Amino acid sequence: MKFTKLSLITALAVTSVFAGEGKISGDAKLFYGTSDAGSADLFTDGTNTMGDAAVSLDYSRDIADGITFNAGMTGISTLGLENTLVGATWVDHALEDRAWIDVANITAKLGNTTAVLGRQKLDTPLAFTETWNIVENTFDAFTFVNSNVPNTTLVASAVTRANGAGEFKNIQGGMGDVGEAIYTVGAITDLTPNINAQAWYYNVAHSDSQKLWLQADGKVAEGISIGTQYAMAMADKGDDSSVVAAKVGYDLNGISTYAAFSLADEDGQTGFTNYGGYGGSKLYTEAWWNFGYVTKPGAQAIAFGASTDLAGLGLTAQYTTVTNDSDRASDEMDEITLTASKTVGPVDATLALINTSSDDDAMDGNTIQAYLTVPFSL
């Protein structure tokens, strides 16, 4: 079955509801990045430098008992710096100033069931909103959440359109069809003490492909945590595949560390990246910057990470190495990332230093990124 798509009616609804009283929040961001991958030099103009400024506004208003209208708009611009300080952008907006509706939904709560109907952010293993970029990807979806079962949350969702994989344009934000729909049902439970378990099933209607995601995370001793992930894809052409991952974390004296491993089926052709997103995944081993390697068929990945707070300065380090049994050397990659974050007045600032080793010249080299974010509420 086809679901009615959001259209200009959504824009008109947002315009009218903004006239009433409600809660307004958002943020302003300025992101910059430069890389010396290939034959490029750091801080030169061209495609090796990228920059964007973005402003997001989120609005919510209770329109009846248990019913809330949520709306959001995002605008993005290079501030006219293209072909001078920057030559590329963080997301595809054709170097033009753009604004679009990224959230427009009705949230209704009846007893222990909540329904979210319309454009929304999602957080499921294979369809989720990625928050690392200057703007967030969203979905046109119908989602139902129920908590009748003690310590358990049941979720059902049908996704009809998504952005993130293409150009952000016009008021619709470049939403693209995902076929007839992507259906998912999931259960998240804390019934077992100190263990959070979840199971998700996905069905892609137009291709009749199916995916299963199982995960369990728990605390086994003071300061020690473990996690396991298993995902399986069953495609209509018989190119079944799977991936398994495990993680161990250890916290001591304000320092958090972890080690993770993942192995993707070398015979499969189906990855486990985000439907309609920027290419990231929920695997424990996912790289900090170079997404997509750990989910390729045959990928074997190891990741180590550590984070701490030093006098108000948040410091993190992550190392990811990916080998692959395929004949494609470009499927392998090593990445080291160091970040420092600090809040200065109203500004959240982060500096990231990334070193990538890869036979893919477009990825091999050093990257420097700076993020400035100013959250606000009105």
Side-chain angles (χ1 to χ4, degrees), residues 203-277:
N203 182 281
V204 182
H206 72 276
S207 66
D208 196 32
S209 62
Q210 303 167 73
K211 291 184 180 181
L212 179 68
W213 183 284
L214 304 175
Q215 182 170 334
D217 300 274
K219 182 178 179 181
V220 296
E222 186 63 32
I224 302 176
S225 60
I226 61 172
T228 59
Q229 296 172 324
Y230 174 77
M232 178 175 62
M234 299 153 285
D236 59 343
K237 296 181 180 180
D239 51 351
D240 296 350
S241 57
S242 63
V243 62
V244 62
K247 179 180 179 180
V248 177
Y250 182 60
D251 298 341
L252 178 66
N253 297 330
I255 301 176
S256 298
T257 62
Y258 77 89
F261 170 80
S262 66
L263 176 63
D265 180 5
E266 65 181 15
D267 296 325
Q269 299 299 318
T270 304
F272 296 92
T273 55
N274 188 6
Y275 284 123

Side-chain angles (χ1 to χ4, degrees), residues 51-54 75-80 82 86 88-100 134-135 166-170:
D52 268 319
I76 194 167
S77 173
T78 64
L79 300 179
E82 60 268 20
V86 300
T89 55
W90 281 77
V91 294
D92 184 4
H93 59 98
L95 293 176
E96 296 182 7
D97 295 351
R98 297 279 171 81
W100 63 91
I134 192 168
V135 298
E167 182 181 344
F168 285 81
K169 58 183 178 180
N170 63 49

